[in-house]
C-alpha cells in the first residue's frame, strides 16, 4: 500500500453485532488495508438509507443478507488516503463518492452493461464492511470522483439521487408528464430531478407526511396529492383524462402501486424502485394488459450512465441538495439518527466523521 500519512492501527465502527432489532455497537476493528485494485478512504460523511432501516429492523431480508459483525453504511463519500497495488486511476487526496454495487466485471450481465445486477454482485455495507466507520476500502472503480462544484458535505447523497435518476430514466422525462408516488428522500430527489430534466408536469404523491409534501412543492412539483385526494381521479383530471407518461413508485405501498398502474397513460411507463414489505402485493393485472404498460423494476444505478447524467445535473447546479438534507449529526449519534430516519420526520439524515 502507498499511504498518504501515518494512519491509526485500529478504528471504531458501528457494527451490526446482535441478532435483534437495533443490535448495533461501536466496536473496535483493525484498520482496513486496500487489496490489489482497491483504495483506502477516510470517511467524510455517510447518509442513512432505507436499507439501513431494514437492517435496523432486522427483517427477514436483513437476516438473510447481513452477516453479524458487519460494519454497515453505504451512502458515503471521503478522501483517498491509500492505494492498493495496481491502482493507476486514482491519486491520494482525490475526493470521491461511492457506488455501492460491487461487480465482478466478468459475467454476462456485466458484459451487457448491467453491472448493477452482476451475477456475482455484492453490496458494500450490506454483505461486507461499509462506511459507518472512519475508514473503509473499496475497489477503485467504485470510487467516483466528485463534480468540481459539489461540496464534500453534500456528496454522500449521490447514491439515492442516482436511484431517483435511474428510476425516472426508465421512461420519458423531457417534455413528459411524470408522477412520483412516495415522497421519502428518493421520491423527493426524483421530483427535483424530473423538473431539472425538463418534465412538462410533475405530480408528487405521499400519504400523510405533510413536511415531505411541502418539500415537494418547494422542489418544483406542479401538483401535490395525499390521502385526502382520490389519487387516480386527480391524476387523470390533471392529464386530460389520459394519465401520466411516466409513473415512478417509491413508496413501497401496495395501494400506491395500484394507483400508479391505473393512472399511467395507454402505452406509458411505470418504473418501480420500491421494496415491498409483502413481496406479493395485489396487482390490477388487466389494467396493465389493456393499458399496454411498460413496467420495469429498478435496482441501484446504471454503471456508469446514471452517474454521468447525475454529474451533468449537479454541474449545472440543478439539484437542491440543501433542502433535501434536513439533519447532519456527529457519527457517535448513530442510534439517534436511525430513530429519526425511522420516524420519517426528516429528509436525508447525514452522519459526519
Ligand atoms: N431497488 C433499489 O435499488 C432500492 C434502493 C434504495 C431504496 N429502495 C426502496 O425505495 C423506496 C423509497 O425509499 P425512501 O427511503 O425514499 O422511502 P421512505 O420509506 O423514506 O418513504 C416512503 C414514503 O412513501 C409514503 N407513502 C406511504 N404510503 C403511500 C401511498 N399509499 N402513496 C404515496 N406515498 C405513500 C410515506 O409517507 C413516505 O413518505 C423504499 O421502498 C426503499 O426500500 C430501493
Ligand atoms: Zn441506499
Ligand atoms: Zn458480473
Amino acid at each position: 500500500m502507498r499511504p498518504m500519512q501515518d494512519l491509526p492501527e485500529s478504528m471504531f465502527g458501528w457494527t451490526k453485532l446482535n441478532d435483534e432489532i437495533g443490535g448495533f455497537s461501536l466496536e473496535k476493528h483493525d484498520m482496513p488495508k486496500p487489496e490489489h485494485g482497491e483504495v483506502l478512504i477516510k470517511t467524510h460523511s455517510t447518509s442513512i438509507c432505507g436499507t439501513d432501516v431494514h437492517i435496523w429492523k432486522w427483517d427477514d431480508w436483513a437476516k438473510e443478507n447481513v452477516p453479524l459483525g458487519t460494519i454497515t453504511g453505504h451512502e458515503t463519500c471521503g478522501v483517498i488516503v491509500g492505494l492498493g497495488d495496481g491502482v493507476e486511476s486514482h491519486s491520494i487526496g482525490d475526493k470521491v463518492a461511492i457506488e455501492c454495487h460491487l461487480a465482478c466485471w466478468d459475467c454476462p450481465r456485466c458484459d451487457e452493461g448491467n453491472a448493477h445486477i452482476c451475477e456475482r454482485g455484492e453490496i458494500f455495507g450490506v454483505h461486507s464492511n461499509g462506511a459507518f466507520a472512519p475508514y473503509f476500502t473499496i475497489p477503485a472503480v467504485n470510487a467516483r470522483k466528485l463534480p468540481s462544484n459539489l461540496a464534500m458535505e453534500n456528496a454522500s447523497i449521490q447514491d439515492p439521487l442516482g436511484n431517483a435518476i435511474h428510476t425516472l430514466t426508465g421512461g420519458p422525462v423531457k417534455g413528459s408528464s411524470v408522477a412520483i408516488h412516495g415522497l421519502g428522500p428518493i421520491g423527493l430527489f426524483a421530483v427535483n430531478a424530473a423538473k431539472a430534466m425538463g418534465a412538462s408536469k410533475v405530480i408528487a404523491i405521499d400519504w400523510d407526511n405533510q413536511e415531505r409534501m411541502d418539500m415537494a412543492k418547494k422542489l418544483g412539483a406542479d401538483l401535490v396529492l395525499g390521502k385526502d385526494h382520490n389519487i387516480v381521479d386527480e391524476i387523470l383530471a390533471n392529464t386530460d383524462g389520459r394519465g401520466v407518461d411516466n409513473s415512478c413508485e417509491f413508496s413501497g405501498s401496495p395501494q400506491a402501486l395500484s394507483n400508479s398502474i391505473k393512472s399511467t397513460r395507454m402505452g406509458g411507463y411505470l418504473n418501480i424502485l420500491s421494496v415491498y414489505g409483502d413481496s406479493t402485493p395485489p396487482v390490477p393485472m388487466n389494467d396493465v394488459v389493456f393499458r399496454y404498460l411498460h413496467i420495469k423494476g429498478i435496482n441501484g444505478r446504471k454503471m456508469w450512465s446514471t452517474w454521468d447524467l447525475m454529474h451533468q445535473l449537479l454541474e449545472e447546479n440543478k439539484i437542491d441538495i440543501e433542502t433535501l438534507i434536513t439533519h447532519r449529526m456527529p457519527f457517535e449519534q448513530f442510534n439517534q439518527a436511525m430513530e429519526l430516519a425511522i420516524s420519517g420526520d426528516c429528509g436525508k439524515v447525514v452522519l459526519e466523521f
Side-chain angles (χ1 to χ4, degrees):
M1 182 180 78
R2 295 166 274 162
M4 177 175 75
Q5 61 199 45
D6 288 337
L7 297 166
E9 285 182 1
S10 61
M11 63 172 191
F12 285 86
W14 286 102
T15 310
K16 178 72 194 182
L17 210 55
N18 297 319
D19 183 9
E20 63 190 26
I21 295 173
F24 276 85
S25 168
L26 191 56
E27 291 292 302
K28 191 174 180 182
H29 291 257
D30 287 343
M31 187 69 178
K33 298 217 164 32
E35 305 279 330
H36 185 91
E38 290 185 339
V39 290
L40 173 67
I41 294 171
K42 186 174 196 312
T43 313
H44 178 280
S45 44
T46 305
S47 39
I48 293 177
C49 169
T51 302
D52 299 312
V53 173
H54 284 283
I55 298 170
W56 179 272
K57 291 183 175 169
W58 205 228
D59 61 15
D60 290 344
W61 171 86
K63 283 179 190 158
E64 277 167 32
N65 283 278
V66 183
L68 290 176
T70 304
I71 299 171
T72 57
H74 59 274
E75 295 184 9
T76 189
C77 60
V79 178
I80 295 187
V81 293
L83 301 170
D85 292 339
V87 175
E88 305 290 344
S89 52
H90 291 67
S91 307
I92 301 283
D94 281 352
K95 295 175 179 175
V96 295
I98 295 312
E99 165 55 62
C100 66
H101 286 231
L102 307 175
C104 76
W105 301 103
D106 190 29
C107 73
R109 302 289 77 76
C110 285
D111 287 347
E112 72 190 8
N114 285 322
H116 60 296
I117 49 163
C118 168
E119 291 175 357
R120 291 189 281 266
E122 286 198 349
I123 313 278
F124 166 81
V126 172
H127 301 109
S128 56
N129 281 348
F132 287 140
Y135 295 90
F136 61 88
T137 55
I138 194 145
V141 69
N142 288 74
R144 311 305 294 175
K145 291 173 199 171
L146 305 192
S148 56
N149 62 335
L150 178 60
M152 184 65 124
E153 59 260 36
N154 292 337
S156 71
I157 58 74
Q158 290 174 91
D159 173 302
L161 174 60
N163 284 144
I165 292 171
H166 187 189
T167 309
L168 280 168
T169 52
V173 182
K174 193 174 166 55
S176 300
S177 51
V178 175
I180 305 297
H181 295 263
L183 302 177
I186 304 177
L188 289 170
F189 275 125
V191 168
N192 194 172
K195 285 308 270 189
M197 289 159 68
S200 59
K201 183 176 276 187
V202 175
I203 303 176
I205 307 110
D206 201 83
W207 178 242
D208 60 356
N209 192 319
Q210 195 56 49
E211 192 183 346
R212 290 174 169 184
M213 290 158 83
D214 293 343
M215 268 194 264
K217 197 86 204 158
K218 191 172 173 217
L219 292 167
D222 298 289
L223 177 66
V224 181
L225 303 173
K227 70 174 179 1
D228 298 333
H229 300 99
N230 182 317
I231 304 296
V232 175
D233 287 355
E234 289 288 335
I235 294 176
L236 294 177
N238 281 279
T239 50
D240 300 325
R242 293 193 175 96
V244 291
D245 299 308
N246 185 352
S247 293
C248 297
E249 214 300 89
F250 298 107
S251 76
S253 154
Q255 182 60 52
L257 176 63
S258 172
N259 290 344
S260 63
I261 288 171
K262 292 180 175 183
S263 58
T264 305
R265 69 155 164 84
M266 295 285 187
Y269 294 77
L270 167 56
N271 299 296
I272 305 169
L273 184 88
S274 287
V275 177
Y276 296 87
D278 172 358
S279 63
T280 52
V283 174
M285 203 57 216
N286 290 350
D287 286 280
V288 173
V289 172
F290 291 114
R291 299 183 85 84
Y292 191 51
L293 298 186
H294 306 72
I295 299 192
K296 187 172 184 182
I298 305 285
N299 190 354
R301 295 143 296 277
K302 287 279 259 182
M303 296 145 80
W304 301 102
S305 59
T306 304
W307 284 84
D308 293 342
L309 174 55
M310 173 164 65
H311 283 187
Q312 192 188 321
L313 294 172
L314 288 167
E315 272 158 14
E316 292 167 359
N317 288 314
K318 285 184 168 167
I319 304 295
D320 180 2
I321 300 173
E322 294 296 337
T323 293
L324 279 155
I325 297 180
T326 54
H327 297 81
R328 299 177 190 274
M329 302 162 79
F331 89 101
E332 290 83 358
Q333 291 179 17
F334 174 78
N335 289 323
Q336 294 92 315
M338 286 303 303
E339 278 160 24
L340 183 60
I342 291 166
S343 76
D345 298 331
C346 56
K348 257 297 160 199
V349 180
V350 175
L351 289 174
E352 297 185 321
F353 286 81

